[in-house]
């Protein structure tokens, strides 16, 4: 099983074995120890059953014969004594010692705070104090203790990036917190893991962990309003956006679009994926999405607006330019 | 060995036949109060439900066979896993274990002629049937519950689920829990009051302890579910705010209430399986259970401790750390009684002379899967690890190991084991063994890779998954396993159905050691010609007891042949107290159930006054039922 | 219990071989059934009361702004009155044990009348509360009214049982079957009384 795990673990972007934080790494370690102990128990019990099969025609135990007290002692030893020891050890390690790591961080001991807000079926990410709002893509500086505050505007979701940390549910009316403290630069995939309705399966996100410098320059870019349109196509797209229903659901910083239902699109062109990591952010995918989001994510809360092909092309050009 | 009636006894037997003769035909089944007939009704209904839940599972597995597939739409997928969970838990396992196995076997095992409240027993069945139909109407109409079997608010609230889907869930479960509550009361009283004279509590088979523990757990756990569902319906239909944080409510109230029920529920599922295992193992290993009293105690402890661990399903909702630690500790403590039982079974098999016939094979499979599922349960009680894998396929793997591997395997083994008892015919041993290997491997192939999927980060309740996630292979293997499993289960059903007609006639093929084997197979409507007496825990082992019974029969003593009668005894020592007249049959139980179904249907359609009228009618039917005066 | 019907003839028939316990030391299965049903009821009320305090612990203002603290005097008086109405039921159980049908019926009838009065009074209080605040305003209102409504429904079921018993006792007489039923009725009402006290304290807890 361990081999199977290792083989698959490498090819799996969301595997918990790609741990990139101490927290996640310790949980991995706990898992391997538990697996080892469990294998011991399992194969031990299996061996007993094997002996039972081999000796199916002879009553009693090898060496000990048919004395009832030996059988009873066996139950007491394997059924009470050994489990008590093993369980106390497990309890101490996981529920007393390791739990500190997965508990909510002390906000005074973190370098920054971000807010992650669950929506049906995408993630809104806010950087308090900077005005930056983005979606489905969390950028973080490496080796920085980040206090992640999660909540929701609708139902319960669960933020789970296996390589970085434990998961945490977004509870209506509450603000749960976890710690992200990532040791390695990289892109880590996560996914909503609490069932939240039709498109629960397509509610993923990426955590992009960058060097501090790269992070700072990203943040600076995000703080700027949307860039001005550079081509007539883009300008036409901008026009369509502002004058159709798009603007009633989406915000684009520096324009009149102030909708709050869908993701903030101010810098949508800079994101690597759209629709909660359902599609890569390419012009073709973006166009397909705008033309018929329901075909890509059935039930999604963005309607199929029945736009004509040219309009879609203009919109795509415009949105792609928002970097 | 089953008792052979001496010639002197034949005249008494004729009289009993006459007194206990069932009504003929369909009416006989409709109005029956015979626990064996009710057990058979339960059996076939819940088997059908197993089939339905299985078909739903196969549909899900087919959808998940490959990435990005479109076999069923996301909407249908959501209804499938919700109905699969509800069906398997509420409409299959509980009715199959308590309803079918408990009903048929329990009175036989304790030497009674029926349950304590035969008509209430009938009404339990009819309510169960009506509630199953009620919930399946929703599926047929395309409005099946779709918020998962634990139906978390606010997803299940009117705002996010405006249709009637969730109302079917809420009212259906309240309706269904009426049946389970009645059944639980019936089992407890039967076990305490109807045991054969002399069967004091310490002589009672372990099977009965398991059912006693499960019934008590049901009795105390169900109110939490009913209440949670009531609050939910009040929120949904009358605009109350129990679960609405904007008005001082709490979504965690639902989670707490549901799991206060839900965790005891999973032990309610497994306890009867323990009971079946502790019946089959001693018989087929030709020795007594090791440490009988400790095992009995452990069975009761599991049910009791099961009430203190519910929040281990809520480790990620943001409870205070101290609270989660308490629940983790409790979850670990509950391992001890399970481990005691486990090693008592293993020690019994090890020190006995096990005869690996099909039923015992299924029990060995059960032991293996119980260890696997139990061990993964322990890992889930390690909070940091649970916070990683919660709501991932790892949890799905854990509970299918314990539910399918550990709770359903004994059911399957029990079907084989008691098949000769119920039908008087033998199943095919060769097909039986083949079906065991098919289901055993099918289970392993279906559910074992789910652990890995969970560790690789696949959340549960996903209608599909992207191709680049590294999940494709495991999902493919699982789906193949599910088809294997279906083939194995079908083989079991076919084996039994064919043997029903062509099987060799037999009476007591395993030389079982509990009282049900002391009577004919299939048992006569009055179960025992002469009321058995008991002086040891192993009714059948003590041939002395049976010989005495036969002597009494020859003398015409202890027959209770003056009416539809059964003895009632004291709760602890089983001293005879009095002879009860049992109701022979009654039309009122199905009528009552039907009227209640009418009430719930009207509640669903928000016709509250008509619903009230149905309730009054049901009350009147209840009065009519009691006006026919017997013990009940 | 010394009712003539109690010792069925059958017991004597097999007593010779099986031995026999004194029935006084063993509650009949009917009573066991009722006792277990009441266990489920107690669990139900326990869960409601638990939910009440859970919601209170979640909500910062309890009762919420604009809702007065619950009145104390009238609910206490009403509950005390309910406890008083248990007396006739208790007497009915006693009379039935002595085999006196007339007295039993009369006592239950008195109890029934008194309890009808109780329920009417409570319904008045309930609707006057409804005029002050609504279950649709807040979780407090929801749990307050639901708890009381379940309690009143519980009393209503008791009234139905009273009525059913009176009719059956008049029609069938004090047979063994209905003798147990009277005993069960008394048991039911004792538990209603105990639960009423628990509900009362929960109801008035914000004012204590
Ligand atoms: C038959 C049903 C059944 C049984 C018996 C169990 C048994 C156990 N379960 Fe399981 N469980 C479920 C059904 C069951 N469970 C279901 C349905 C869910 C999910 C519901 C949902 O989310 O939909 C669930 C979920 C679940 C969770 C929550 C996971 C999550 O959602 O994040 C947890 C966490 O603690 C848990 C723990 C346990 C434990 C500790 C046991 C223990 O009782 C196990 C005890 C048994 C053994 C341990 C094996 C035998 C003993 C030995 C081999 C001795 C040797 C041992 C040592 C040396 C230590 N279970
Ligand atoms: C008793 C409980 C039980 C049982 C037995 C099963 C049995 C099976 N379950 Fe599951 N399952 C649950 C309880 C159970 N399940 C629960 C509670 C959930 C969670 C739901 C939720 O998330 O809300 C779940 C969820 C669940 C999922 C996860 C869905 C998701 O999260 O997206 C999957 C996926 O593979 C699955 C698969 C299976 C399979 C393949 C079987 C197979 O073992 C089924 C095999 C059975 C058959 C193939 C039937 C064969 C037919 C007969 C023998 C009868 C024929 C006779 C007549 C017609 C008369 N189940
Ligand atoms: Cu959001 Cu699942
Ligand atoms: Cu649990």
């Amino acid at each position: 099983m361990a081999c199977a795990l290792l083989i698959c673990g490498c090819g799996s972007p969301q595997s918990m074995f790609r741990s990139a934080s101490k927290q996640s790494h310790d949980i991995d370690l706990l898992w391997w120890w538990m697996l080892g102990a469990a294998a011991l128990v399992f194969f031990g019990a299996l061996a007993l059953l094997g002996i039972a099969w081999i000796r199916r025609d002879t009553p009693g135990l090898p060496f000990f014969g048919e004395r009832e007290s030996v059988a009873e002692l066996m139950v007491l030893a394997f059924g009470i004594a050994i489990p008590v020891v093993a369980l106390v050890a497990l309890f101490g390690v996981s529920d007393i010692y390791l739990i500190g790591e997965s508990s909510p961080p002390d906000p005074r001991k973190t370098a920054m705070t971000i807010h992650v807000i669950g929506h049906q079926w995408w993630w809104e990410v806010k950087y308090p104090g900077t005005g930056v709002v983005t979606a489905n893509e969390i950028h973080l500086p490496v080796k920085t203790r980040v206090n992640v505050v999660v909540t929701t505007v609708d139902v319960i979701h669960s933020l789970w990036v296996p390589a970085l940390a434990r998961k945490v549910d977004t509870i209506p009316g509450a603000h749960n917190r976890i710690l992200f403290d990532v040791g390695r630069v990289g892109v880590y995939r996560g996914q909503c893991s609490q069932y939240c309705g039709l498109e629960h399966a397509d509610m993923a996100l990426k955590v992009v962990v960058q060097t501090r410098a790269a992070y700072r320059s990203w943040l600076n870019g995000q703080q700027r309003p949307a860039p001005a349109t550079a081509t007539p196509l883009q300008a036409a797209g901008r026009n369509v956006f502002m004058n159709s229903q798009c603007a009633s659901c989406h915000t684009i910083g520096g324009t009149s679009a102030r909708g709050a239902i869908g993701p903030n699109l101010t810098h949508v062109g800079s994101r690597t994926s759209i629709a909660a990591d359902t599609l890569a952010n390419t012009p073709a995918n973006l166009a397909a999405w705008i033309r018929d989001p329901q075909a890509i994510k059935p039930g999604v809360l963005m309607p199929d607006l029945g736009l004509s092909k040219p309009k879609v092309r203009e919109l795509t050009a415009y949105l792609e330019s928002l970097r | 060995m089953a008792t052979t009636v001496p010639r002197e006894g034949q005249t008494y037997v004729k009289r009993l036949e006459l007194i206990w003769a069932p009504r003929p035909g369909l009416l006989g089944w409709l109005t029956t109060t015979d626990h064996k007939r009710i057990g058979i009704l339960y059996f076939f209904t819940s088997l059908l439900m197993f089939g339905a839940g299985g078909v739903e599972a196969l549909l899900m597995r087919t959808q998940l066979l490959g990435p990005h597939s479109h076999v069923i739409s996301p909407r249908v997928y959501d209804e499938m896993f919700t109905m699969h969970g509800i069906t398997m838990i509420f409409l299959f396992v509980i009715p199959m274990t308590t309803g079918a196995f408990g009903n048929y076997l329990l009175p036989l095992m304790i030497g009674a002629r029926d349950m304590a409240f035969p008509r209430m027993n009938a009404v339990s069945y009819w309510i169960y049937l009506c509630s199953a139909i009620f919930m399946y109407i929703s599926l047929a109409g395309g409005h099946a519950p779709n918020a998962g079997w634990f139906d978390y608010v606010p997803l299940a609230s009117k705002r996010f689920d405006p249709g009637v889907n969730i109302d079917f869930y809420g009212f259906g479960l309240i309706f269904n829990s009426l049946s389970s509550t009645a059944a639980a009361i019936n089992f407890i009283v039967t076990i305490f009051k109807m045991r054969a004279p002399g069967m004091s509590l310490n002589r009672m088979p372990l099977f009965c302890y398991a059912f006693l523990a499960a019934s008590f757990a049901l009795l105390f756990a169900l109110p939490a579910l009913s209440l949670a569902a009531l609050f939910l319906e009040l929120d949904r239909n009358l605009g109350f705010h129990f679960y609405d944080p904007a008005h001082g409510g709490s979504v965690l109230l639902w989670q707490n209430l549901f799991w206060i029920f839900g965790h005891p529920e999973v032990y309610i599922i497994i306890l009867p399986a323990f009971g079946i295992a502790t019946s089959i193992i001693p018989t087929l290993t030709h020795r007594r259970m090791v440490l009988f009293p400790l095992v009995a105690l452990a069975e009761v402890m599991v049910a009791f401790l099961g009430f203190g661990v519910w929040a281990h399903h809520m480790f990620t909702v943001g409870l205070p750390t101290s609270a989660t630690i308490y629940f983790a500790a409790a979850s670990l403590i509950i391992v001890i009684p399970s481990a005691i039982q486990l090693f008592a079974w293993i020690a019994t098999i090890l020190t006995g002379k096990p005869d690996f016939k099909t039923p015992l094979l299924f029990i060995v499979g059960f032991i293996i899967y119980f260890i696997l599922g139990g061990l993964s349960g322990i890992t889930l009680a390690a909070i940091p690890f649970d916070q990683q894998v919660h709501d991932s396929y790892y949890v799905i793997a854990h509970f299918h190991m314990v539910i399918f591997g550990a709770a359903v395997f004994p059911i399957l083994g029990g079907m084989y084991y008691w098949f000769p008892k119920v039908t008087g015919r033998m199943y095919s041993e060769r097909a039986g063994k083949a079906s065991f290997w098919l289901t055993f491997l099918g289970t392993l192939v279906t559910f074992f890779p789910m652990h890995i999927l969970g560790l690789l980060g696949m959340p549960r309740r996903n209608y599909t998954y992207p191709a680049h996630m590294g999940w494709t292979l495991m999902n493919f293997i699982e789906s193949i396993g599910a088809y294997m499993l279906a083939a194995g289960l079908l083989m079991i059903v076919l084996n039994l159905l064919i043997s029903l007609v062509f099987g060799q006639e037999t009476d007591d093929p395993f030389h079982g050691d509990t009282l049900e084997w002391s009577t004919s197979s299939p048992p006569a409507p009055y179960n025992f010609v002469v009321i058995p007496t008991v002086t040891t825990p192993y009714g059948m082992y003590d041939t002395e007891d049976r010989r005495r019974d036969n002597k009494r029969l020859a003398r015409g003593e202890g027959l209770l042949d003056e009416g539809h009668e059964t003895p009632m005894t004291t709760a602890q020592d089983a001293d005879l107290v009095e002879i009860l007249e049992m109701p022979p049959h009654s039309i009122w139980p199905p009528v009552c159930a039907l009227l209640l179904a009418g009430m719930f249907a009207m509640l669903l359609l928000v016709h509250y006054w008509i619903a009230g009228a149905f309730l009054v009618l049901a009350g009147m039917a209840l009065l009519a039922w009691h006006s026919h005066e017997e013990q009940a | 219990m010394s009712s003539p019907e109690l010792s069925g003839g059958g017991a004597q028939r097999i007593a010779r071989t099986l031995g026999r316990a004194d029935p006084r030391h063993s509650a009949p299965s009917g009573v066991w059934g009722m006792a277990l049903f009441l266990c489920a009821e107690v669990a139900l009320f326990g869960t409601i009361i638990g939910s009440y305090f859970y919601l209170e612990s979640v909500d910062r203002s309890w009762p919420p702004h604009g809702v007065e603290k619950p009145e104390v005097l009238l609910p206490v008086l009403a509950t005390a009155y309910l406890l008083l109405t248990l007396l006739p039921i208790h007497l009915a159980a006693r009379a039935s044990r002595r085999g006196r049908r007339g007295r039993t019926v009369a006592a239950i009838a008195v109890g029934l009348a008194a309890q009808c009065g109780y329920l009417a009074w409570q319904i008045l209080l309930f609707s006057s509360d409804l005029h002050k605040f609504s279950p649709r305003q807040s979780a407090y209102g929801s749990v307050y009214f639901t708890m009381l409504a379940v309690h009143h429904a519980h009393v209503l079921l008791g009234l139905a049982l009273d009525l059913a018993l009176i009719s059956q006792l008049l029609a069938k007489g004090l047979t063994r079957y209905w003798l147990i039923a009277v005993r069960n009725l008394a048991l039911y009402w004792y538990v209603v009384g105990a639960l009423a006290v628990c509900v009362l304290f929960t109801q008035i807890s914000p004012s204590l």
Side-chain angles (χ1 to χ4, degrees), chain B residues 537-556:
Chain B
Y538 291 88
M540 277 311 288
Y541 273 3
D542 196 346
T543 40
E544 194 53 36
D545 279 352
R546 301 288 76 74
R547 212 166 302 133
R548 228 168 350 192
D549 286 347
N550 266 349
K551 280 205 195 111
R552 296 212 327 272
L553 174 60
R555 290 201 301 271

Side-chain angles (χ1 to χ4, degrees), chain B residues 363-381:
Chain B
I363 296 306
V364 171
F366 148 76
I367 290 178
I368 292 174
Y369 286 129
F370 184 57
I371 300 174
L372 275 176
L375 289 170
S376 66
I378 298 181
T379 62
L380 289 173

Side-chain angles (χ1 to χ4, degrees), chain A residues 265-277:
Chain A
L265 299 180
T266 311
H267 297 284
V268 65
S270 71
R271 307 208 269 262
T272 55
S273 69
I274 54 169
D277 203 25

